[in-house]
Amino acid sequence: MKNNFNSAKIENKENLVITTETINTNDLIDLIYKGDNLPQDNRFLPVENGGVFKYFDIKELSQNKKDKFYPVVKIGDKIVGLSELLKDPFNNKNLWIQFLSIDPEEQNNGYASRLAKEIFEFAKKNNYSLEASIYTEKGFEKMRPVFERLSKEYPVDFINKGKL
């Protein structure tokens, strides 16, 4: 997998290699399909079909490929946290945070915070501002303290339109 955005941050904790990085759409497609026509990782299917990433829609992967980025948290080669960033069609230096989702089996291990940190690091490195999507207002309420801290830690303009 070729990563053109951020160098992966690697942590070895309790013999688990945990990485965070931001990948492009083609790299995510490669991870999910592994060269086949059908998804080889069923965790990326819709939740009602056994998928684990709430709000992720595999059918939309091929739309706006160049305008999407996917921050991920991985344990080994397994993605346990996934977010989608979409370029604002009205301001190409602004990214909408479409969703942030953690595999339910891995929740409450700090992966959402790691994923949020990756989002802010990616935005800072690439001179983007960030905006919480209108579709994720309820979910971001849970992440309020993390986003408030990160918006101070990183000099990234975080547009929240009163949500956080």
PDB file of all heavy atoms in Angstrom, residues 81-117:
ATOM      1  N   GLY A  81     -10.255   1.431  13.289  1.00  0.00           N
ATOM      2  CA  GLY A  81     -10.878   2.743  13.332  1.00  0.00           C
ATOM      3  C   GLY A  81     -10.807   3.369  11.964  1.00  0.00           C
ATOM      4  O   GLY A  81      -9.788   3.255  11.270  1.00  0.00           O
ATOM      5  N   LEU A  82     -11.890   4.008  11.552  1.00  0.00           N
ATOM      6  CA  LEU A  82     -11.976   4.567  10.218  1.00  0.00           C
ATOM      7  C   LEU A  82     -12.728   5.889  10.272  1.00  0.00           C
ATOM      8  O   LEU A  82     -13.721   6.015  10.986  1.00  0.00           O
ATOM      9  CB  LEU A  82     -12.725   3.591   9.299  1.00  0.00           C
ATOM     10  CG  LEU A  82     -13.026   4.019   7.871  1.00  0.00           C
ATOM     11  CD1 LEU A  82     -11.737   4.139   7.063  1.00  0.00           C
ATOM     12  CD2 LEU A  82     -13.959   3.003   7.213  1.00  0.00           C
ATOM     13  N   SER A  83     -12.232   6.853   9.527  1.00  0.00           N
ATOM     14  CA  SER A  83     -12.912   8.127   9.366  1.00  0.00           C
ATOM     15  C   SER A  83     -12.895   8.477   7.889  1.00  0.00           C
ATOM     16  O   SER A  83     -12.078   7.958   7.127  1.00  0.00           O
ATOM     17  CB  SER A  83     -12.201   9.213  10.182  1.00  0.00           C
ATOM     18  OG  SER A  83     -12.887  10.443  10.072  1.00  0.00           O
ATOM     19  N   GLU A  84     -13.805   9.339   7.497  1.00  0.00           N
ATOM     20  CA  GLU A  84     -13.814   9.810   6.119  1.00  0.00           C
ATOM     21  C   GLU A  84     -13.785  11.330   6.130  1.00  0.00           C
ATOM     22  O   GLU A  84     -14.580  11.970   6.817  1.00  0.00           O
ATOM     23  CB  GLU A  84     -15.063   9.332   5.386  1.00  0.00           C
ATOM     24  CG  GLU A  84     -15.104   9.770   3.923  1.00  0.00           C
ATOM     25  CD  GLU A  84     -16.345   9.262   3.217  1.00  0.00           C
ATOM     26  OE1 GLU A  84     -17.399   9.925   3.331  1.00  0.00           O
ATOM     27  OE2 GLU A  84     -16.250   8.196   2.569  1.00  0.00           O
ATOM     28  N   LEU A  85     -12.850  11.886   5.375  1.00  0.00           N
ATOM     29  CA  LEU A  85     -12.747  13.330   5.195  1.00  0.00           C
ATOM     30  C   LEU A  85     -13.098  13.631   3.747  1.00  0.00           C
ATOM     31  O   LEU A  85     -12.575  12.991   2.834  1.00  0.00           O
ATOM     32  CB  LEU A  85     -11.329  13.813   5.495  1.00  0.00           C
ATOM     33  CG  LEU A  85     -10.756  13.448   6.861  1.00  0.00           C
ATOM     34  CD1 LEU A  85      -9.308  13.918   6.963  1.00  0.00           C
ATOM     35  CD2 LEU A  85     -11.607  14.032   7.974  1.00  0.00           C
ATOM     36  N   LEU A  86     -13.958  14.595   3.534  1.00  0.00           N
ATOM     37  CA  LEU A  86     -14.392  14.966   2.189  1.00  0.00           C
ATOM     38  C   LEU A  86     -14.068  16.430   1.965  1.00  0.00           C
ATOM     39  O   LEU A  86     -14.389  17.280   2.813  1.00  0.00           O
ATOM     40  CB  LEU A  86     -15.897  14.730   2.045  1.00  0.00           C
ATOM     41  CG  LEU A  86     -16.556  15.153   0.731  1.00  0.00           C
ATOM     42  CD1 LEU A  86     -16.023  14.334  -0.434  1.00  0.00           C
ATOM     43  CD2 LEU A  86     -18.074  15.014   0.848  1.00  0.00           C
ATOM     44  N   LYS A  87     -13.439  16.720   0.823  1.00  0.00           N
ATOM     45  CA  LYS A  87     -13.164  18.118   0.491  1.00  0.00           C
ATOM     46  C   LYS A  87     -14.478  18.869   0.325  1.00  0.00           C
ATOM     47  O   LYS A  87     -15.394  18.397  -0.353  1.00  0.00           O
ATOM     48  CB  LYS A  87     -12.359  18.231  -0.804  1.00  0.00           C
ATOM     49  CG  LYS A  87     -10.893  18.009  -0.625  1.00  0.00           C
ATOM     50  CD  LYS A  87     -10.157  18.342  -1.918  1.00  0.00           C
ATOM     51  CE  LYS A  87      -8.688  18.052  -1.799  1.00  0.00           C
ATOM     52  NZ  LYS A  87      -7.982  18.308  -3.060  1.00  0.00           N
ATOM     53  N   ASP A  88     -14.543  20.014   0.946  1.00  0.00           N
ATOM     54  CA  ASP A  88     -15.693  20.904   0.836  1.00  0.00           C
ATOM     55  C   ASP A  88     -15.791  21.364  -0.626  1.00  0.00           C
ATOM     56  O   ASP A  88     -14.831  21.915  -1.159  1.00  0.00           O
ATOM     57  CB  ASP A  88     -15.454  22.096   1.774  1.00  0.00           C
ATOM     58  CG  ASP A  88     -16.559  23.114   1.779  1.00  0.00           C
ATOM     59  OD1 ASP A  88     -17.337  23.198   0.817  1.00  0.00           O
ATOM     60  OD2 ASP A  88     -16.623  23.867   2.775  1.00  0.00           O
ATOM     61  N   PRO A  89     -16.920  21.138  -1.309  1.00  0.00           N
ATOM     62  CA  PRO A  89     -17.014  21.536  -2.715  1.00  0.00           C
ATOM     63  C   PRO A  89     -16.982  23.053  -2.924  1.00  0.00           C
ATOM     64  O   PRO A  89     -16.763  23.520  -4.032  1.00  0.00           O
ATOM     65  CB  PRO A  89     -18.352  20.941  -3.171  1.00  0.00           C
ATOM     66  CG  PRO A  89     -19.119  20.697  -1.930  1.00  0.00           C
ATOM     67  CD  PRO A  89     -18.122  20.477  -0.834  1.00  0.00           C
ATOM     68  N   PHE A  90     -17.169  23.823  -1.853  1.00  0.00           N
ATOM     69  CA  PHE A  90     -17.172  25.276  -1.953  1.00  0.00           C
ATOM     70  C   PHE A  90     -15.849  25.899  -1.521  1.00  0.00           C
ATOM     71  O   PHE A  90     -15.607  27.067  -1.749  1.00  0.00           O
ATOM     72  CB  PHE A  90     -18.307  25.851  -1.106  1.00  0.00           C
ATOM     73  CG  PHE A  90     -19.637  25.224  -1.428  1.00  0.00           C
ATOM     74  CD1 PHE A  90     -20.208  24.311  -0.563  1.00  0.00           C
ATOM     75  CD2 PHE A  90     -20.292  25.515  -2.617  1.00  0.00           C
ATOM     76  CE1 PHE A  90     -21.416  23.716  -0.859  1.00  0.00           C
ATOM     77  CE2 PHE A  90     -21.500  24.913  -2.926  1.00  0.00           C
ATOM     78  CZ  PHE A  90     -22.070  24.016  -2.038  1.00  0.00           C
ATOM     79  N   ASN A  91     -14.999  25.087  -0.863  1.00  0.00           N
ATOM     80  CA  ASN A  91     -13.710  25.575  -0.379  1.00  0.00           C
ATOM     81  C   ASN A  91     -12.755  24.383  -0.346  1.00  0.00           C
ATOM     82  O   ASN A  91     -12.783  23.587   0.593  1.00  0.00           O
ATOM     83  CB  ASN A  91     -13.861  26.187   1.016  1.00  0.00           C
ATOM     84  CG  ASN A  91     -12.545  26.610   1.627  1.00  0.00           C
ATOM     85  OD1 ASN A  91     -11.479  26.451   1.032  1.00  0.00           O
ATOM     86  ND2 ASN A  91     -12.612  27.141   2.836  1.00  0.00           N
ATOM     87  N   ASN A  92     -11.883  24.274  -1.351  1.00  0.00           N
ATOM     88  CA  ASN A  92     -11.040  23.077  -1.458  1.00  0.00           C
ATOM     89  C   ASN A  92      -9.930  23.017  -0.411  1.00  0.00           C
ATOM     90  O   ASN A  92      -9.168  22.066  -0.388  1.00  0.00           O
ATOM     91  CB  ASN A  92     -10.487  22.906  -2.870  1.00  0.00           C
ATOM     92  CG  ASN A  92      -9.469  23.962  -3.239  1.00  0.00           C
ATOM     93  OD1 ASN A  92      -9.224  24.904  -2.486  1.00  0.00           O
ATOM     94  ND2 ASN A  92      -8.879  23.820  -4.402  1.00  0.00           N
ATOM     95  N   LYS A  93      -9.836  23.991   0.475  1.00  0.00           N
ATOM     96  CA  LYS A  93      -8.877  23.921   1.590  1.00  0.00           C
ATOM     97  C   LYS A  93      -9.594  23.605   2.900  1.00  0.00           C
ATOM     98  O   LYS A  93      -9.037  23.738   3.978  1.00  0.00           O
ATOM     99  CB  LYS A  93      -8.084  25.223   1.716  1.00  0.00           C
ATOM    100  CG  LYS A  93      -7.082  25.434   0.582  1.00  0.00           C
ATOM    101  CD  LYS A  93      -6.180  24.239   0.293  1.00  0.00           C
ATOM    102  CE  LYS A  93      -5.142  24.003   1.347  1.00  0.00           C
ATOM    103  NZ  LYS A  93      -4.303  22.819   1.091  1.00  0.00           N
ATOM    104  N   ASN A  94     -10.852  23.171   2.803  1.00  0.00           N
ATOM    105  CA  ASN A  94     -11.625  22.774   3.974  1.00  0.00           C
ATOM    106  C   ASN A  94     -12.056  21.317   3.800  1.00  0.00           C
ATOM    107  O   ASN A  94     -12.429  20.906   2.703  1.00  0.00           O
ATOM    108  CB  ASN A  94     -12.864  23.667   4.130  1.00  0.00           C
ATOM    109  CG  ASN A  94     -13.626  23.365   5.401  1.00  0.00           C
ATOM    110  OD1 ASN A  94     -13.058  23.344   6.481  1.00  0.00           O
ATOM    111  ND2 ASN A  94     -14.918  23.144   5.271  1.00  0.00           N
ATOM    112  N   LEU A  95     -11.975  20.545   4.868  1.00  0.00           N
ATOM    113  CA  LEU A  95     -12.412  19.149   4.849  1.00  0.00           C
ATOM    114  C   LEU A  95     -13.592  18.970   5.787  1.00  0.00           C
ATOM    115  O   LEU A  95     -13.569  19.450   6.924  1.00  0.00           O
ATOM    116  CB  LEU A  95     -11.283  18.221   5.304  1.00  0.00           C
ATOM    117  CG  LEU A  95     -10.039  18.164   4.437  1.00  0.00           C
ATOM    118  CD1 LEU A  95      -8.963  17.321   5.124  1.00  0.00           C
ATOM    119  CD2 LEU A  95     -10.359  17.608   3.055  1.00  0.00           C
ATOM    120  N   TRP A  96     -14.594  18.280   5.321  1.00  0.00           N
ATOM    121  CA  TRP A  96     -15.713  17.901   6.167  1.00  0.00           C
ATOM    122  C   TRP A  96     -15.386  16.552   6.793  1.00  0.00           C
ATOM    123  O   TRP A  96     -15.015  15.591   6.106  1.00  0.00           O
ATOM    124  CB  TRP A  96     -16.989  17.752   5.359  1.00  0.00           C
ATOM    125  CG  TRP A  96     -17.541  19.033   4.821  1.00  0.00           C
ATOM    126  CD1 TRP A  96     -17.331  20.302   5.288  1.00  0.00           C
ATOM    127  CD2 TRP A  96     -18.415  19.164   3.705  1.00  0.00           C
ATOM    128  NE1 TRP A  96     -18.020  21.202   4.533  1.00  0.00           N
ATOM    129  CE2 TRP A  96     -18.694  20.538   3.552  1.00  0.00           C
ATOM    130  CE3 TRP A  96     -18.982  18.268   2.813  1.00  0.00           C
ATOM    131  CZ2 TRP A  96     -19.527  21.029   2.553  1.00  0.00           C
ATOM    132  CZ3 TRP A  96     -19.807  18.748   1.819  1.00  0.00           C
ATOM    133  CH2 TRP A  96     -20.083  20.113   1.693  1.00  0.00           C
ATOM    134  N   ILE A  97     -15.515  16.441   8.089  1.00  0.00           N
ATOM    135  CA  ILE A  97     -15.351  15.155   8.775  1.00  0.00           C
ATOM    136  C   ILE A  97     -16.695  14.452   8.658  1.00  0.00           C
ATOM    137  O   ILE A  97     -17.651  14.800   9.338  1.00  0.00           O
ATOM    138  CB  ILE A  97     -14.946  15.332  10.251  1.00  0.00           C
ATOM    139  CG1 ILE A  97     -13.677  16.176  10.357  1.00  0.00           C
ATOM    140  CG2 ILE A  97     -14.770  13.963  10.911  1.00  0.00           C
ATOM    141  CD1 ILE A  97     -13.339  16.602  11.779  1.00  0.00           C
ATOM    142  N   GLN A  98     -16.756  13.476   7.761  1.00  0.00           N
ATOM    143  CA  GLN A  98     -18.017  12.804   7.468  1.00  0.00           C
ATOM    144  C   GLN A  98     -18.443  11.868   8.595  1.00  0.00           C
ATOM    145  O   GLN A  98     -19.613  11.780   8.924  1.00  0.00           O
ATOM    146  CB  GLN A  98     -17.913  12.026   6.165  1.00  0.00           C
ATOM    147  CG  GLN A  98     -17.696  12.897   4.946  1.00  0.00           C
ATOM    148  CD  GLN A  98     -18.887  13.782   4.665  1.00  0.00           C
ATOM    149  OE1 GLN A  98     -18.930  14.932   5.079  1.00  0.00           O
ATOM    150  NE2 GLN A  98     -19.869  13.253   3.980  1.00  0.00           N
ATOM    151  N   PHE A  99     -17.498  11.118   9.119  1.00  0.00           N
ATOM    152  CA  PHE A  99     -17.788  10.212  10.224  1.00  0.00           C
ATOM    153  C   PHE A  99     -16.486   9.780  10.862  1.00  0.00           C
ATOM    154  O   PHE A  99     -15.400   9.955  10.294  1.00  0.00           O
ATOM    155  CB  PHE A  99     -18.597   8.977   9.781  1.00  0.00           C
ATOM    156  CG  PHE A  99     -17.858   8.048   8.855  1.00  0.00           C
ATOM    157  CD1 PHE A  99     -16.995   7.085   9.352  1.00  0.00           C
ATOM    158  CD2 PHE A  99     -18.021   8.138   7.481  1.00  0.00           C
ATOM    159  CE1 PHE A  99     -16.299   6.234   8.505  1.00  0.00           C
ATOM    160  CE2 PHE A  99     -17.342   7.296   6.623  1.00  0.00           C
ATOM    161  CZ  PHE A  99     -16.473   6.343   7.131  1.00  0.00           C
ATOM    162  N   LEU A 100     -16.594   9.234  12.020  1.00  0.00           N
ATOM    163  CA  LEU A 100     -15.488   8.628  12.756  1.00  0.00           C
ATOM    164  C   LEU A 100     -16.090   7.377  13.384  1.00  0.00           C
ATOM    165  O   LEU A 100     -17.066   7.479  14.120  1.00  0.00           O
ATOM    166  CB  LEU A 100     -15.000   9.609  13.820  1.00  0.00           C
ATOM    167  CG  LEU A 100     -13.724   9.267  14.567  1.00  0.00           C
ATOM    168  CD1 LEU A 100     -13.012  10.557  14.931  1.00  0.00           C
ATOM    169  CD2 LEU A 100     -13.995   8.456  15.780  1.00  0.00           C
ATOM    170  N   SER A 101     -15.554   6.205  13.056  1.00  0.00           N
ATOM    171  CA  SER A 101     -16.162   4.956  13.504  1.00  0.00           C
ATOM    172  C   SER A 101     -15.086   3.976  13.973  1.00  0.00           C
ATOM    173  O   SER A 101     -14.044   3.844  13.339  1.00  0.00           O
ATOM    174  CB  SER A 101     -16.963   4.334  12.349  1.00  0.00           C
ATOM    175  OG  SER A 101     -17.644   3.182  12.767  1.00  0.00           O
ATOM    176  N   ILE A 102     -15.381   3.297  15.068  1.00  0.00           N
ATOM    177  CA  ILE A 102     -14.475   2.295  15.638  1.00  0.00           C
ATOM    178  C   ILE A 102     -15.188   0.948  15.634  1.00  0.00           C
ATOM    179  O   ILE A 102     -16.370   0.861  15.989  1.00  0.00           O
ATOM    180  CB  ILE A 102     -14.069   2.674  17.084  1.00  0.00           C
ATOM    181  CG1 ILE A 102     -13.466   4.090  17.150  1.00  0.00           C
ATOM    182  CG2 ILE A 102     -13.118   1.631  17.685  1.00  0.00           C
ATOM    183  CD1 ILE A 102     -12.211   4.301  16.325  1.00  0.00           C
ATOM    184  N   ASP A 103     -14.483  -0.094  15.234  1.00  0.00           N
ATOM    185  CA  ASP A 103     -15.003  -1.452  15.286  1.00  0.00           C
ATOM    186  C   ASP A 103     -15.531  -1.697  16.707  1.00  0.00           C
ATOM    187  O   ASP A 103     -14.806  -1.481  17.685  1.00  0.00           O
ATOM    188  CB  ASP A 103     -13.865  -2.435  14.954  1.00  0.00           C
ATOM    189  CG  ASP A 103     -14.292  -3.878  14.912  1.00  0.00           C
ATOM    190  OD1 ASP A 103     -15.226  -4.277  15.631  1.00  0.00           O
ATOM    191  OD2 ASP A 103     -13.649  -4.637  14.164  1.00  0.00           O
ATOM    192  N   PRO A 104     -16.790  -2.113  16.870  1.00  0.00           N
ATOM    193  CA  PRO A 104     -17.354  -2.309  18.212  1.00  0.00           C
ATOM    194  C   PRO A 104     -16.521  -3.214  19.113  1.00  0.00           C
ATOM    195  O   PRO A 104     -16.490  -3.022  20.327  1.00  0.00           O
ATOM    196  CB  PRO A 104     -18.731  -2.922  17.939  1.00  0.00           C
ATOM    197  CG  PRO A 104     -19.091  -2.441  16.580  1.00  0.00           C
ATOM    198  CD  PRO A 104     -17.785  -2.367  15.824  1.00  0.00           C
ATOM    199  N   GLU A 105     -15.817  -4.181  18.528  1.00  0.00           N
ATOM    200  CA  GLU A 105     -14.969  -5.068  19.335  1.00  0.00           C
ATOM    201  C   GLU A 105     -13.755  -4.347  19.905  1.00  0.00           C
ATOM    202  O   GLU A 105     -13.115  -4.845  20.826  1.00  0.00           O
ATOM    203  CB  GLU A 105     -14.506  -6.265  18.505  1.00  0.00           C
ATOM    204  CG  GLU A 105     -15.619  -7.230  18.168  1.00  0.00           C
ATOM    205  CD  GLU A 105     -15.106  -8.439  17.401  1.00  0.00           C
ATOM    206  OE1 GLU A 105     -13.876  -8.643  17.316  1.00  0.00           O
ATOM    207  OE2 GLU A 105     -15.953  -9.188  16.880  1.00  0.00           O
ATOM    208  N   GLU A 106     -13.429  -3.188  19.366  1.00  0.00           N
ATOM    209  CA  GLU A 106     -12.239  -2.445  19.793  1.00  0.00           C
ATOM    210  C   GLU A 106     -12.575  -1.119  20.468  1.00  0.00           C
ATOM    211  O   GLU A 106     -11.681  -0.325  20.752  1.00  0.00           O
ATOM    212  CB  GLU A 106     -11.328  -2.190  18.588  1.00  0.00           C
ATOM    213  CG  GLU A 106     -10.854  -3.438  17.888  1.00  0.00           C
ATOM    214  CD  GLU A 106      -9.935  -4.302  18.746  1.00  0.00           C
ATOM    215  OE1 GLU A 106      -9.388  -3.815  19.750  1.00  0.00           O
ATOM    216  OE2 GLU A 106      -9.763  -5.481  18.407  1.00  0.00           O
ATOM    217  N   GLN A 107     -13.846  -0.872  20.721  1.00  0.00           N
ATOM    218  CA  GLN A 107     -14.230   0.385  21.352  1.00  0.00           C
ATOM    219  C   GLN A 107     -13.744   0.439  22.796  1.00  0.00           C
ATOM    220  O   GLN A 107     -13.464  -0.574  23.413  1.00  0.00           O
ATOM    221  CB  GLN A 107     -15.741   0.581  21.271  1.00  0.00           C
ATOM    222  CG  GLN A 107     -16.182   0.867  19.853  1.00  0.00           C
ATOM    223  CD  GLN A 107     -17.679   1.041  19.717  1.00  0.00           C
ATOM    224  OE1 GLN A 107     -18.440   0.901  20.653  1.00  0.00           O
ATOM    225  NE2 GLN A 107     -18.101   1.360  18.496  1.00  0.00           N
ATOM    226  N   ASN A 108     -13.624   1.656  23.307  1.00  0.00           N
ATOM    227  CA  ASN A 108     -13.181   1.935  24.676  1.00  0.00           C
ATOM    228  C   ASN A 108     -11.707   1.605  24.906  1.00  0.00           C
ATOM    229  O   ASN A 108     -11.309   1.319  26.032  1.00  0.00           O
ATOM    230  CB  ASN A 108     -14.072   1.214  25.700  1.00  0.00           C
ATOM    231  CG  ASN A 108     -15.512   1.627  25.576  1.00  0.00           C
ATOM    232  OD1 ASN A 108     -15.822   2.818  25.487  1.00  0.00           O
ATOM    233  ND2 ASN A 108     -16.405   0.662  25.542  1.00  0.00           N
ATOM    234  N   ASN A 109     -10.915   1.641  23.832  1.00  0.00           N
ATOM    235  CA  ASN A 109      -9.471   1.438  23.936  1.00  0.00           C
ATOM    236  C   ASN A 109      -8.683   2.682  23.536  1.00  0.00           C
ATOM    237  O   ASN A 109      -7.479   2.609  23.326  1.00  0.00           O
ATOM    238  CB  ASN A 109      -9.033   0.250  23.050  1.00  0.00           C
ATOM    239  CG  ASN A 109      -9.498  -1.076  23.604  1.00  0.00           C
ATOM    240  OD1 ASN A 109      -9.394  -1.331  24.787  1.00  0.00           O
ATOM    241  ND2 ASN A 109     -10.030  -1.921  22.737  1.00  0.00           N
ATOM    242  N   GLY A 110      -9.377   3.809  23.369  1.00  0.00           N
ATOM    243  CA  GLY A 110      -8.709   5.054  23.004  1.00  0.00           C
ATOM    244  C   GLY A 110      -8.492   5.234  21.513  1.00  0.00           C
ATOM    245  O   GLY A 110      -7.833   6.192  21.093  1.00  0.00           O
ATOM    246  N   TYR A 111      -9.047   4.352  20.682  1.00  0.00           N
ATOM    247  CA  TYR A 111      -8.815   4.449  19.246  1.00  0.00           C
ATOM    248  C   TYR A 111      -9.530   5.641  18.614  1.00  0.00           C
ATOM    249  O   TYR A 111      -9.039   6.205  17.644  1.00  0.00           O
ATOM    250  CB  TYR A 111      -9.182   3.148  18.538  1.00  0.00           C
ATOM    251  CG  TYR A 111      -8.346   1.978  19.002  1.00  0.00           C
ATOM    252  CD1 TYR A 111      -8.919   0.773  19.349  1.00  0.00           C
ATOM    253  CD2 TYR A 111      -6.960   2.099  19.102  1.00  0.00           C
ATOM    254  CE1 TYR A 111      -8.140  -0.299  19.778  1.00  0.00           C
ATOM    255  CE2 TYR A 111      -6.169   1.039  19.535  1.00  0.00           C
ATOM    256  CZ  TYR A 111      -6.765  -0.153  19.867  1.00  0.00           C
ATOM    257  OH  TYR A 111      -5.997  -1.195  20.293  1.00  0.00           O
ATOM    258  N   ALA A 112     -10.673   6.031  19.148  1.00  0.00           N
ATOM    259  CA  ALA A 112     -11.365   7.213  18.612  1.00  0.00           C
ATOM    260  C   ALA A 112     -10.504   8.460  18.824  1.00  0.00           C
ATOM    261  O   ALA A 112     -10.400   9.304  17.929  1.00  0.00           O
ATOM    262  CB  ALA A 112     -12.736   7.374  19.262  1.00  0.00           C
ATOM    263  N   SER A 113      -9.862   8.560  19.965  1.00  0.00           N
ATOM    264  CA  SER A 113      -8.976   9.702  20.226  1.00  0.00           C
ATOM    265  C   SER A 113      -7.765   9.672  19.300  1.00  0.00           C
ATOM    266  O   SER A 113      -7.329  10.713  18.803  1.00  0.00           O
ATOM    267  CB  SER A 113      -8.512   9.696  21.682  1.00  0.00           C
ATOM    268  OG  SER A 113      -9.613   9.903  22.533  1.00  0.00           O
ATOM    269  N   ARG A 114      -7.219   8.492  19.066  1.00  0.00           N
ATOM    270  CA  ARG A 114      -6.086   8.367  18.134  1.00  0.00           C
ATOM    271  C   ARG A 114      -6.499   8.778  16.724  1.00  0.00           C
ATOM    272  O   ARG A 114      -5.752   9.442  16.012  1.00  0.00           O
ATOM    273  CB  ARG A 114      -5.571   6.928  18.092  1.00  0.00           C
ATOM    274  CG  ARG A 114      -4.852   6.493  19.331  1.00  0.00           C
ATOM    275  CD  ARG A 114      -4.554   4.996  19.218  1.00  0.00           C
ATOM    276  NE  ARG A 114      -4.118   4.459  20.469  1.00  0.00           N
ATOM    277  CZ  ARG A 114      -2.925   3.935  20.671  1.00  0.00           C
ATOM    278  NH1 ARG A 114      -2.059   3.864  19.687  1.00  0.00           N
ATOM    279  NH2 ARG A 114      -2.594   3.469  21.840  1.00  0.00           N
ATOM    280  N   LEU A 115      -7.701   8.372  16.338  1.00  0.00           N
ATOM    281  CA  LEU A 115      -8.204   8.706  15.017  1.00  0.00           C
ATOM    282  C   LEU A 115      -8.429  10.217  14.893  1.00  0.00           C
ATOM    283  O   LEU A 115      -8.067  10.827  13.883  1.00  0.00           O
ATOM    284  CB  LEU A 115      -9.496   7.938  14.754  1.00  0.00           C
ATOM    285  CG  LEU A 115      -9.995   7.806  13.334  1.00  0.00           C
ATOM    286  CD1 LEU A 115      -8.924   7.285  12.391  1.00  0.00           C
ATOM    287  CD2 LEU A 115     -11.212   6.901  13.306  1.00  0.00           C
ATOM    288  N   ALA A 116      -8.982  10.817  15.924  1.00  0.00           N
ATOM    289  CA  ALA A 116      -9.192  12.266  15.916  1.00  0.00           C
ATOM    290  C   ALA A 116      -7.859  13.000  15.816  1.00  0.00           C
ATOM    291  O   ALA A 116      -7.728  13.971  15.064  1.00  0.00           O
ATOM    292  CB  ALA A 116      -9.950  12.686  17.173  1.00  0.00           C
ATOM    293  N   LYS A 117      -6.857  12.528  16.538  1.00  0.00           N
ATOM    294  CA  LYS A 117      -5.537  13.153  16.472  1.00  0.00           C
ATOM    295  C   LYS A 117      -4.963  13.050  15.060  1.00  0.00           C
ATOM    296  O   LYS A 117      -4.386  14.010  14.540  1.00  0.00           O
ATOM    297  CB  LYS A 117      -4.593  12.500  17.482  1.00  0.00           C
ATOM    298  CG  LYS A 117      -3.240  13.154  17.547  1.00  0.00           C
ATOM    299  CD  LYS A 117      -2.368  12.540  18.633  1.00  0.00           C
ATOM    300  CE  LYS A 117      -1.011  13.224  18.645  1.00  0.00           C
ATOM    301  NZ  LYS A 117      -0.110  12.642  19.637  1.00  0.00           N
TER     302      LYS A 117
END
